[in-house]
Amino acid sequence: MTVNAARALAGARTCFVGIGLPSAAANLARRTAQPELVLVYESGALGAKPSRLPLSIGDGELADTADAVVSVPEMFNYWLQAGRIDVGFLGAAQLDRYANINTTAVDRGPDRPEGRLPGAGGAPEIAASCGAVLIVLRHSTRNMVDRLDFVTSVGHGSGPRDRSRLGLLGKGPVAVITDLGILRPDPGTAELTLTEVHPGVTVEQVRAATGWPLKIAGTVAVTGPPTPAELAALRAMKAA
């Protein structure tokens, strides 16, 4: 999953990085096929080059290795909201068929308080303003749901015209990379469609792990396995 997420950054110049799995993928891309990739973190670090995976957006390693550190208002007002970032990389606790994201709260059932999640952070602005958005998360019916318990960040809303109606910049989510495969929005409906599976994974496995009737592409490809160089870079990064 991490390797394919890193590969999805091919051709990008700048990436606004979410913490966790997106950070691992973006840093792996910079160590392999995209050495010139500029990593941007919402804490204000521009061009960060951490020697290990940062613990959070406030990790001192990001500021120590950055080309520049700016204020958070400048980061959002000048760099992000003005459309100066090529790709935004996000995770999700829940995702629906139109790639809308929930990272705020989940319904835990009758007579139980709602489960509170880390919250929005900069994700709504990343999803709204980057040229394109990549999403990475584990694939299960718990995460891939028919209806979000809370809409934190808008992907494609309820269809292909919602982003323009809301005045959002960029193309929105262009790929969802999971531990089972890759989903991409249908050009006509914007509904997520399975286009690739990882080696050893079947279409039926992906369908069973999805909380809505999943659309399947006419031809489902198989992703290439990680190369020795990619695995070595990933292991070294996590061991640092």
Side-chain angles (χ1 to χ4, degrees), residues 109-148:
D111 303 321
R112 299 187 68 187
E114 67 178 10
R116 297 296 296 179
L117 302 171
E125 295 297 336
I126 296 170
S129 302
C130 288
V133 176
L134 298 172
I135 302 170
V136 59
L137 79 164
R138 306 285 180 184
H139 204 133
S140 73
T141 52
R142 179 180 179 182
N143 300 333
M144 311 285 281
V145 298
D146 186 50
R147 181 181 175 86
L148 299 182

CSV table of all heavy atoms in Angstrom, one decimal, residues 109-148:
chain,number,residue,atom,x,y,z
A,109,GLY,N,-23.1,3.5,18.1
A,109,GLY,CA,-24.3,2.7,18.3
A,109,GLY,C,-25.1,3.2,19.4
A,109,GLY,O,-24.8,4.2,20.1
A,110,PRO,N,-26.3,2.6,19.6
A,110,PRO,CA,-27.3,3.1,20.6
A,110,PRO,C,-26.7,3.1,22.0
A,110,PRO,O,-25.9,2.2,22.4
A,110,PRO,CB,-28.4,2.1,20.5
A,110,PRO,CG,-28.3,1.5,19.1
A,110,PRO,CD,-26.8,1.5,18.9
A,111,ASP,N,-27.0,4.1,22.8
A,111,ASP,CA,-26.7,4.3,24.2
A,111,ASP,C,-25.2,4.3,24.4
A,111,ASP,O,-24.7,4.1,25.5
A,111,ASP,CB,-27.2,3.1,25.0
A,111,ASP,CG,-28.7,3.0,24.9
A,111,ASP,OD1,-29.4,4.0,24.9
A,111,ASP,OD2,-29.3,1.8,24.8
A,112,ARG,N,-24.4,4.7,23.4
A,112,ARG,CA,-23.0,4.8,23.5
A,112,ARG,C,-22.6,6.2,23.0
A,112,ARG,O,-23.1,6.7,22.0
A,112,ARG,CB,-22.2,3.8,22.8
A,112,ARG,CG,-22.5,2.4,23.2
A,112,ARG,CD,-21.5,1.4,22.5
A,112,ARG,NE,-20.1,1.6,23.0
A,112,ARG,CZ,-19.1,1.0,22.4
A,112,ARG,NH1,-19.3,0.2,21.4
A,112,ARG,NH2,-17.9,1.2,22.9
A,113,PRO,N,-21.7,6.9,23.7
A,113,PRO,CA,-21.3,8.2,23.2
A,113,PRO,C,-20.5,8.1,21.8
A,113,PRO,O,-20.0,7.0,21.6
A,113,PRO,CB,-20.3,8.8,24.3
A,113,PRO,CG,-19.8,7.5,24.9
A,113,PRO,CD,-21.0,6.5,24.9
A,114,GLU,N,-20.6,9.1,21.0
A,114,GLU,CA,-19.9,9.1,19.7
A,114,GLU,C,-18.4,8.9,20.0
A,114,GLU,O,-17.9,9.4,21.0
A,114,GLU,CB,-20.2,10.3,18.9
A,114,GLU,CG,-19.7,11.6,19.4
A,114,GLU,CD,-20.0,12.7,18.5
A,114,GLU,OE1,-20.8,12.6,17.5
A,114,GLU,OE2,-19.5,13.8,18.7
A,115,GLY,N,-17.8,8.3,19.1
A,115,GLY,CA,-16.3,8.2,19.1
A,115,GLY,C,-15.6,9.4,18.5
A,115,GLY,O,-15.9,9.7,17.4
A,116,ARG,N,-14.8,10.1,19.3
A,116,ARG,CA,-14.2,11.2,18.8
A,116,ARG,C,-12.8,10.9,18.1
A,116,ARG,O,-12.0,10.1,18.7
A,116,ARG,CB,-13.9,12.2,19.9
A,116,ARG,CG,-15.2,12.8,20.6
A,116,ARG,CD,-16.0,13.6,19.6
A,116,ARG,NE,-15.3,14.8,19.2
A,116,ARG,CZ,-15.9,15.7,18.4
A,116,ARG,NH1,-17.1,15.4,17.8
A,116,ARG,NH2,-15.2,16.7,18.0
A,117,LEU,N,-12.6,11.4,17.0
A,117,LEU,CA,-11.4,11.2,16.2
A,117,LEU,C,-10.5,12.4,16.2
A,117,LEU,O,-10.9,13.5,16.8
A,117,LEU,CB,-11.8,10.9,14.7
A,117,LEU,CG,-12.7,9.7,14.6
A,117,LEU,CD1,-13.2,9.6,13.1
A,117,LEU,CD2,-12.0,8.4,15.0
A,118,PRO,N,-9.3,12.4,15.6
A,118,PRO,CA,-8.4,13.5,15.8
A,118,PRO,C,-8.9,14.8,15.3
A,118,PRO,O,-8.5,15.9,15.7
A,118,PRO,CB,-7.2,13.1,14.9
A,118,PRO,CG,-7.2,11.6,15.0
A,118,PRO,CD,-8.6,11.2,15.0
A,119,GLY,N,-9.9,14.8,14.3
A,119,GLY,CA,-10.5,16.0,13.8
A,119,GLY,C,-10.0,16.4,12.5
A,119,GLY,O,-9.3,15.7,11.8
A,120,ALA,N,-10.3,17.7,12.1
A,120,ALA,CA,-10.1,18.1,10.7
A,120,ALA,C,-8.6,18.5,10.4
A,120,ALA,O,-8.0,18.1,9.4
A,120,ALA,CB,-11.0,19.3,10.4
A,121,GLY,N,-8.0,19.3,11.4
A,121,GLY,CA,-6.7,19.8,11.1
A,121,GLY,C,-6.8,20.6,9.8
A,121,GLY,O,-7.8,21.4,9.5
A,122,GLY,N,-5.8,20.5,8.9
A,122,GLY,CA,-5.8,21.2,7.6
A,122,GLY,C,-6.5,20.4,6.5
A,122,GLY,O,-6.5,20.9,5.4
A,123,ALA,N,-7.0,19.2,6.8
A,123,ALA,CA,-7.6,18.4,5.7
A,123,ALA,C,-8.6,19.0,4.9
A,123,ALA,O,-8.6,18.8,3.7
A,123,ALA,CB,-8.1,17.0,6.3
A,124,PRO,N,-9.6,19.7,5.5
A,124,PRO,CA,-10.6,20.3,4.6
A,124,PRO,C,-10.1,21.3,3.6
A,124,PRO,O,-10.5,21.3,2.4
A,124,PRO,CB,-11.6,21.1,5.6
A,124,PRO,CG,-11.4,20.3,6.9
A,124,PRO,CD,-9.9,19.9,6.9
A,125,GLU,N,-9.0,22.1,4.0
A,125,GLU,CA,-8.4,23.0,3.0
A,125,GLU,C,-7.5,22.3,2.0
A,125,GLU,O,-7.5,22.7,0.8
A,125,GLU,CB,-7.6,24.0,3.8
A,125,GLU,CG,-8.4,24.9,4.7
A,125,GLU,CD,-9.4,25.8,3.9
A,125,GLU,OE1,-9.2,26.0,2.7
A,125,GLU,OE2,-10.4,26.2,4.5
A,126,ILE,N,-6.9,21.2,2.4
A,126,ILE,CA,-6.1,20.4,1.5
A,126,ILE,C,-7.0,19.8,0.4
A,126,ILE,O,-6.7,19.9,-0.8
A,126,ILE,CB,-5.3,19.3,2.3
A,126,ILE,CG1,-4.3,19.9,3.2
A,126,ILE,CG2,-4.6,18.4,1.3
A,126,ILE,CD1,-3.7,18.9,4.2
A,127,ALA,N,-8.1,19.2,0.9
A,127,ALA,CA,-9.0,18.6,0.0
A,127,ALA,C,-9.7,19.6,-1.0
A,127,ALA,O,-10.0,19.3,-2.1
A,127,ALA,CB,-10.1,17.8,0.7
A,128,ALA,N,-9.8,20.8,-0.5
A,128,ALA,CA,-10.5,21.8,-1.3
A,128,ALA,C,-9.6,22.5,-2.3
A,128,ALA,O,-10.0,22.9,-3.4
A,128,ALA,CB,-11.1,22.9,-0.4
A,129,SER,N,-8.3,22.7,-2.0
A,129,SER,CA,-7.4,23.6,-2.7
A,129,SER,C,-6.3,23.0,-3.5
A,129,SER,O,-5.7,23.7,-4.3
A,129,SER,CB,-6.9,24.7,-1.7
A,129,SER,OG,-8.0,25.4,-1.1
A,130,CYS,N,-5.8,21.8,-3.2
A,130,CYS,CA,-4.7,21.2,-3.9
A,130,CYS,C,-5.1,20.9,-5.4
A,130,CYS,O,-6.3,20.6,-5.6
A,130,CYS,CB,-4.2,20.0,-3.2
A,130,CYS,SG,-3.3,20.4,-1.7
A,131,GLY,N,-4.1,20.8,-6.2
A,131,GLY,CA,-4.4,20.5,-7.6
A,131,GLY,C,-5.1,19.1,-7.8
A,131,GLY,O,-6.0,18.9,-8.6
A,132,ALA,N,-4.7,18.2,-7.0
A,132,ALA,CA,-5.2,16.8,-6.9
A,132,ALA,C,-5.0,16.3,-5.5
A,132,ALA,O,-4.2,16.8,-4.8
A,132,ALA,CB,-4.6,15.9,-8.0
A,133,VAL,N,-5.8,15.3,-5.2
A,133,VAL,CA,-5.8,14.7,-3.8
A,133,VAL,C,-5.6,13.2,-4.0
A,133,VAL,O,-6.3,12.6,-4.7
A,133,VAL,CB,-7.1,15.1,-3.0
A,133,VAL,CG1,-7.0,14.4,-1.7
A,133,VAL,CG2,-7.2,16.6,-2.8
A,134,LEU,N,-4.7,12.7,-3.2
A,134,LEU,CA,-4.5,11.2,-3.0
A,134,LEU,C,-5.0,10.9,-1.6
A,134,LEU,O,-4.7,11.6,-0.7
A,134,LEU,CB,-3.1,10.8,-3.2
A,134,LEU,CG,-2.5,11.1,-4.6
A,134,LEU,CD1,-1.0,10.8,-4.6
A,134,LEU,CD2,-3.2,10.2,-5.7
A,135,ILE,N,-5.6,9.7,-1.5
A,135,ILE,CA,-6.1,9.2,-0.1
A,135,ILE,C,-5.6,7.8,0.1
A,135,ILE,O,-5.6,7.0,-0.8
A,135,ILE,CB,-7.6,9.3,-0.1
A,135,ILE,CG1,-8.2,10.7,-0.3
A,135,ILE,CG2,-8.1,8.7,1.3
A,135,ILE,CD1,-9.7,10.7,-0.5
A,136,VAL,N,-5.1,7.6,1.3
A,136,VAL,CA,-4.6,6.2,1.6
A,136,VAL,C,-5.2,5.8,2.9
A,136,VAL,O,-5.3,6.6,3.9
A,136,VAL,CB,-3.0,6.2,1.7
A,136,VAL,CG1,-2.5,7.2,2.7
A,136,VAL,CG2,-2.5,4.8,1.9
A,137,LEU,N,-5.8,4.6,3.0
A,137,LEU,CA,-6.4,4.0,4.2
A,137,LEU,C,-6.5,2.5,4.1
A,137,LEU,O,-6.4,1.9,3.0
A,137,LEU,CB,-7.7,4.7,4.5
A,137,LEU,CG,-8.9,4.2,3.7
A,137,LEU,CD1,-10.2,4.6,4.4
A,137,LEU,CD2,-8.9,4.6,2.2
A,138,ARG,N,-6.7,1.9,5.2
A,138,ARG,CA,-7.0,0.4,5.2
A,138,ARG,C,-8.4,0.2,4.7
A,138,ARG,O,-9.3,1.0,4.8
A,138,ARG,CB,-6.9,-0.1,6.7
A,138,ARG,CG,-5.6,0.2,7.4
A,138,ARG,CD,-4.5,-0.7,6.9
A,138,ARG,NE,-3.3,-0.3,7.6
A,138,ARG,CZ,-2.1,-0.9,7.3
A,138,ARG,NH1,-2.0,-1.8,6.4
A,138,ARG,NH2,-1.0,-0.6,8.0
A,139,HIS,N,-8.5,-1.0,4.0
A,139,HIS,CA,-9.8,-1.3,3.3
A,139,HIS,C,-10.6,-2.2,4.1
A,139,HIS,O,-10.3,-3.4,4.2
A,139,HIS,CB,-9.5,-1.9,1.9
A,139,HIS,CG,-10.6,-1.7,0.9
A,139,HIS,ND1,-10.3,-1.3,-0.4
A,139,HIS,CD2,-11.9,-1.9,1.0
A,139,HIS,CE1,-11.5,-1.2,-1.0
A,139,HIS,NE2,-12.4,-1.6,-0.2
A,140,SER,N,-11.7,-1.8,4.7
A,140,SER,CA,-12.7,-2.6,5.4
A,140,SER,C,-14.0,-1.9,5.4
A,140,SER,O,-14.1,-0.7,5.1
A,140,SER,CB,-12.2,-2.8,6.9
A,140,SER,OG,-12.4,-1.7,7.6
A,141,THR,N,-15.1,-2.7,5.7
A,141,THR,CA,-16.4,-2.1,5.8
A,141,THR,C,-16.5,-1.1,6.9
A,141,THR,O,-17.5,-0.3,6.9
A,141,THR,CB,-17.5,-3.2,6.0
A,141,THR,OG1,-17.1,-4.0,7.1
A,141,THR,CG2,-17.6,-4.1,4.7
A,142,ARG,N,-15.6,-1.1,7.9
A,142,ARG,CA,-15.6,-0.1,8.9
A,142,ARG,C,-15.1,1.2,8.4
A,142,ARG,O,-15.6,2.3,8.9
A,142,ARG,CB,-14.7,-0.6,10.1
A,142,ARG,CG,-14.6,0.3,11.2
A,142,ARG,CD,-13.6,-0.2,12.3
A,142,ARG,NE,-13.5,0.7,13.4
A,142,ARG,CZ,-12.7,0.4,14.5
A,142,ARG,NH1,-12.0,-0.7,14.5
A,142,ARG,NH2,-12.6,1.3,15.4
A,143,ASN,N,-14.2,1.2,7.5
A,143,ASN,CA,-13.6,2.4,6.9
A,143,ASN,C,-14.3,2.9,5.6
A,143,ASN,O,-14.4,4.1,5.4
A,143,ASN,CB,-12.1,2.3,6.7
A,143,ASN,CG,-11.4,1.9,8.0
A,143,ASN,OD1,-11.8,2.3,9.0
A,143,ASN,ND2,-10.3,1.2,7.8
A,144,MET,N,-14.7,1.9,4.8
A,144,MET,CA,-15.3,2.3,3.5
A,144,MET,C,-16.8,2.1,3.6
A,144,MET,O,-17.3,1.0,3.5
A,144,MET,CB,-14.7,1.3,2.4
A,144,MET,CG,-13.2,1.2,2.4
A,144,MET,SD,-12.4,2.6,1.7
A,144,MET,CE,-12.6,2.3,0.0
A,145,VAL,N,-17.5,3.2,3.9
A,145,VAL,CA,-18.8,3.2,4.4
A,145,VAL,C,-19.8,3.8,3.4
A,145,VAL,O,-19.4,4.7,2.6
A,145,VAL,CB,-19.0,3.9,5.7
A,145,VAL,CG1,-18.2,3.2,6.8
A,145,VAL,CG2,-18.6,5.4,5.6
A,146,ASP,N,-21.0,3.3,3.4
A,146,ASP,CA,-22.1,3.8,2.5
A,146,ASP,C,-22.4,5.3,2.8
A,146,ASP,O,-22.7,6.1,1.9
A,146,ASP,CB,-23.3,3.0,2.6
A,146,ASP,CG,-24.4,3.4,1.6
A,146,ASP,OD1,-24.0,3.5,0.4
A,146,ASP,OD2,-25.5,3.5,2.0
A,147,ARG,N,-22.4,5.6,4.1
A,147,ARG,CA,-22.7,7.0,4.5
A,147,ARG,C,-21.8,7.4,5.7
A,147,ARG,O,-21.7,6.7,6.7
A,147,ARG,CB,-24.2,7.1,5.0
A,147,ARG,CG,-24.6,8.5,5.4
A,147,ARG,CD,-26.1,8.4,5.9
A,147,ARG,NE,-26.5,9.7,6.4
A,147,ARG,CZ,-27.0,10.7,5.7
A,147,ARG,NH1,-27.1,10.6,4.4
A,147,ARG,NH2,-27.3,11.9,6.2
A,148,LEU,N,-21.1,8.5,5.5
A,148,LEU,CA,-20.2,9.0,6.6
A,148,LEU,C,-21.0,9.4,7.8
A,148,LEU,O,-22.1,10.0,7.7
A,148,LEU,CB,-19.5,10.2,6.1
A,148,LEU,CG,-18.5,10.0,4.9
A,148,LEU,CD1,-17.8,11.4,4.6
A,148,LEU,CD2,-17.5,8.9,5.1
